[in-house]
Amino acid sequence: MKYTEEHEWLRVEGDLVVVGITEHAAEQLGDVVFVELPELETQVAKGDEICVIESVKAASDILAPLDGEIVETNEALIDNPALVNEDPTGDAWFFKMKIADMAELDSYMDEDAYKDFIG
Amino acid sequence: MTDLQRTCLHDLHVELGARMVPFAGYEMPVQYPMGVMGEHQHTRAQAGLFDVSHMGQVILRAPAEALEALVPMDIAGLAEGRQRYAFFTDDRGGILDDLMVANRGDHLFLVVNAACKHADIAHLRAHLDGVEPVADRALLALQGPMAETALARLVPGVDAMRFMDLRSLDWEGTELWISRSGYTGEDGFEISLPETRAEAFARALLAMDEVAPVGLGARDSLRLEAGLCLYGHDIDATTSPVEAGLTWAIQKRRRTEGGFPGAARIQRELADGPARLRVGLRPEGRAPMREGTKLFATEDSPEPVGTITSGGFGPSLQAPVAMGYLPVELTKPDTVVWGELRGKRLPVRVVPLPFRPSTYRK
């Protein structure tokens, strides 16, 4: 698992990268009540705001961690946004993307580095 | 958060695992480990304990008629032991703050918003004598259907109170000023007590199964579902009480006689109707529409006709809820307007307030 400074986790699954938010991020957000997912088969650029997460308190975005194409989204989050709090690193993945170069993942933090990052 | 003040319950909040945030110059608990959603539901189902000691408590030793020069309420007709919702108006008919006023026999007792308290005290002092800010009392709110049961264990007699009553009652030798009121739409109480006894009293309540601590996050979602205004958001100096739908709070004698700041405008709007009105709004779908969201008459009209002043997710309704201002012709229930969210226009239905009926013990 790799981690971004935006508190997203990235997991390699075959030739795809699965993206979600960390437990720390879910806890900071509080109860998630609404999720807007990116459109399928769209090309996204690193840093694009592609998902919206709304908690009772506030709205926040998920940024595209890498350049690539969105190939799958987790529709279960639309009907059950609370899944983000219940299982942020498992069932509550947000989207899967196809990226050109898996080596780009190396620039992100590993678990120990992320733990240091959130203190 | 070094410049922030703390209430006398600060250490208790931290011990309970609260996430502390800056609010109106204070470091306040926004939520406890239960979370906003859980705290909201707990308050609706059982009883929530809120620290609202940041709010301003003021004793006013002045004739009731003198305060009537600053508020469009019937204060002279407020019986001893009764409390009433009020607001300070300005010369243009805007609202300077909203507050609670109680008649405690030889004086009036005011509770004003934390963010406005210094301005309110200055405003009172500029016009009245006998203004005594209360510096040594905490303020707690216990809200929810089990509030009476819980509080009556410590303070027998509260069960005899009805909505908007205020009594001085004893708890282990300490004088509590208790009103049957609150800011959640639930039955409940607000309790003013000496700071030195506040933590012991809060702990005695928290030891009960029915009572959980509740932070500002749920306080906001609870009051929003109850259709209650938040000063600085739903009402301010640019909104008149008539526009805000608060005419119910202006008693008949004052409507007729006037004699309060901004009476000309407020009486005119009472007679002719205002140009715009605060309404309840139900965004369709699940996406919350928050404060500042622009409202449009149609899906493609170029200019907004109104703005959301409070909005979020209503945990009891399991749906987004909001309040905002619209031109009067668009305020009929079931009118559909459009809110612009992230560049997209989504339908929003006008609904009557409150979103959820109140359960006050009248």
Side-chain angles (χ1 to χ4, degrees), chain B residues 249-294:
Chain B
I250 308 176
Q251 286 75 29
K252 197 164 167 237
R253 174 173 65 82
R254 303 306 312 277
R255 293 188 196 196
T256 317
E257 291 177 5
F260 50 83
R265 175 186 177 183
I266 291 168
Q267 287 178 311
R268 188 181 65 238
E269 288 185 353
L270 283 167
D272 303 340
R276 59 176 190 157
L277 205 52
R278 179 175 62 99
V279 292
L281 298 164
R282 291 285 300 262
E284 290 179 15
R286 281 189 69 96
M289 290 189 186
R290 300 188 191 269
E291 179 177 2
T293 303
K294 297 280 179 241

Side-chain angles (χ1 to χ4, degrees), chain A residues 54-65:
Chain A
E54 299 249 10
S55 72
V56 185
K57 283 178 301 203
S60 51
D61 299 301
I62 293 188
L63 310 183

Side-chain angles (χ1 to χ4, degrees), chain A:
Chain A
M1 204 104 109
K2 291 286 190 177
Y3 299 86
T4 74
E5 291 188 0
E6 316 297 331
H7 306 284
E8 292 158 32
W9 55 257
L10 316 175
R11 192 176 66 222
V12 177
E13 194 179 277
D15 61 343
L16 301 180
V17 176
V18 189
V19 180
I21 67 167
T22 65
E23 207 167 309
H24 173 78
E27 197 195 302
Q28 290 296 313
L29 278 171
D31 303 297
V32 174
V33 296
F34 173 78
V35 170
E36 191 175 276
L37 296 167
E39 282 186 34
L40 283 178
E41 290 161 24
T42 47
Q43 294 292 331
V44 297
K46 182 174 171 174
D48 286 356
E49 295 170 0
I50 56 171
C51 291
V52 176
I53 313 176
E54 299 249 10
S55 72
V56 185
K57 283 178 301 203
S60 51
D61 299 301
I62 293 188
L63 310 183
L66 303 156
D67 296 344
E69 184 189 355
I70 304 294
V71 294
E72 206 178 328
T73 56
N74 188 358
E75 299 295 319
L77 297 183
I78 302 293
D79 294 329
N80 184 16
L83 207 55
V84 178
N85 300 105
E86 288 157 18
D87 192 11
T89 52
D91 286 347
W93 58 275
F94 278 74
F95 53 85
K96 298 182 185 181
M97 57 191 302
K98 191 177 278 177
I99 60 169
D101 180 8
M102 283 287 186
E104 283 185 55
L105 279 171
D106 296 341
S107 62
Y108 284 117
M109 292 177 274
D110 62 15
E111 188 167 349
D112 286 343
Y114 180 68
K115 275 185 181 157
D116 286 345
F117 176 69
I118 60 175

Side-chain angles (χ1 to χ4, degrees), chain B:
Chain B
M1 294 197 271
T2 47
D3 298 339
L4 298 171
Q5 287 184 267
R6 293 173 168 184
T7 76
C8 62
L9 295 179
H10 178 271
D11 292 353
L12 178 61
H13 299 314
V14 171
E15 179 187 318
L16 292 167
R19 186 181 304 166
M20 305 300 286
V21 298
F23 181 84
Y26 283 80
E27 203 180 323
M28 296 299 290
V30 66
Q31 64 171 85
Y32 299 87
M34 190 185 275
V36 176
M37 191 90 84
E39 291 166 28
H40 178 114
Q41 308 286 19
H42 185 90
T43 305
R44 293 262 186 258
Q46 299 195 60
L49 181 67
F50 305 73
D51 178 14
V52 287
S53 304
H54 58 313
M55 296 185 78
Q57 304 180 58
V58 181
I59 285 174
L60 182 59
R61 298 187 194 278
E65 291 77 10
L67 181 58
E68 287 192 357
L70 302 181
V71 303
M73 281 71 218
D74 181 356
I75 304 298
L78 182 63
E80 185 171 344
R82 293 288 291 162
Q83 191 179 44
R84 175 163 278 172
Y85 177 70
F87 31 79
F88 297 116
T89 49
D90 67 16
D91 290 336
R92 288 162 302 167
I95 301 174
L96 293 174
D97 193 12
D98 61 345
L99 67 152
M100 301 299 287
V101 181
N103 178 347
R104 284 185 25 92
D106 65 348
H107 66 267
L108 296 168
F109 176 57
L110 279 49
V111 178
V112 302
N113 282 303
C116 300
K117 66 182 174 186
H118 300 298
D120 289 346
I121 289 163
H123 181 61
L124 284 164
R125 284 185 167 149
H127 296 90
L128 307 173
D129 292 325
V131 180
E132 301 172 12
V134 178
D136 56 356
R137 293 181 82 90
L139 191 66
L140 302 178
L142 185 68
Q143 301 278 298
M146 299 303 286
E148 180 192 278
T149 306
L151 188 57
R153 284 186 199 125
L154 301 181
V155 191
V158 293
D159 46 329
M161 295 173 66
R162 60 190 177 95
F163 184 57
M164 293 292 194
D165 277 351
L166 186 132
R167 299 270 181 277
S168 290
L169 294 167
D170 175 81
W171 171 67
E172 296 183 352
T174 298
E175 186 180 293
L176 312 180
W177 304 343
I178 302 180
S179 70
R180 194 154 198 165
S181 60
Y183 193 48
T184 60
E186 294 296 323
D187 179 31
F189 301 86
E190 291 196 351
I191 305 131
S192 168
L193 76 171
E195 285 185 335
T196 50
R197 300 287 282 145
E199 186 179 328
F201 187 75
R203 284 186 190 278
L205 286 170
L206 290 168
M208 300 178 194
D209 286 344
E210 300 91 343
V211 181
V214 178
L216 293 179
R219 185 168 161 84
D220 192 53
S221 58
L222 288 158
R223 70 90 198 166
L224 176 58
E225 285 184 347
L228 299 170
C229 290
L230 176 59
Y231 191 80
H233 301 259
D234 306 301
I235 49 175
D236 58 28
T238 70
T239 60
S240 80
V242 185
E243 292 174 330
L246 298 174
T247 53
W248 58 268
I250 308 176
Q251 286 75 29
K252 197 164 167 237
R253 174 173 65 82
R254 303 306 312 277
R255 293 188 196 196
T256 317
E257 291 177 5
F260 50 83
R265 175 186 177 183
I266 291 168
Q267 287 178 311
R268 188 181 65 238
E269 288 185 353
L270 283 167
D272 303 340
R276 59 176 190 157
L277 205 52
R278 179 175 62 99
V279 292
L281 298 164
R282 291 285 300 262
E284 290 179 15
R286 281 189 69 96
M289 290 189 186
R290 300 188 191 269
E291 179 177 2
T293 303
K294 297 280 179 241
L295 298 168
F296 296 83
T298 68
E299 197 172 355
D300 49 14
S301 46
E303 294 300 323
V305 290
T307 309
I308 286 179
T309 51
S310 276
F313 189 81
S316 300
L317 286 99
Q318 282 295 306
V321 290
M323 301 195 288
Y325 284 84
L326 284 173
V328 163
E329 59 272 19
L330 292 174
T331 57
K332 238 177 81 184
D334 290 327
T335 304
V336 172
V337 295
W338 297 77
E340 193 164 277
L341 208 56
R342 298 178 275 271
K344 269 184 279 185
R345 300 249 178 118
L346 299 167
V348 179
R349 192 162 48 90
V350 175
V351 298
L353 290 170
F355 297 101
R356 192 179 170 284
S358 59
T359 55
Y360 306 136
R361 196 69 54 89
K362 289 198 173 169

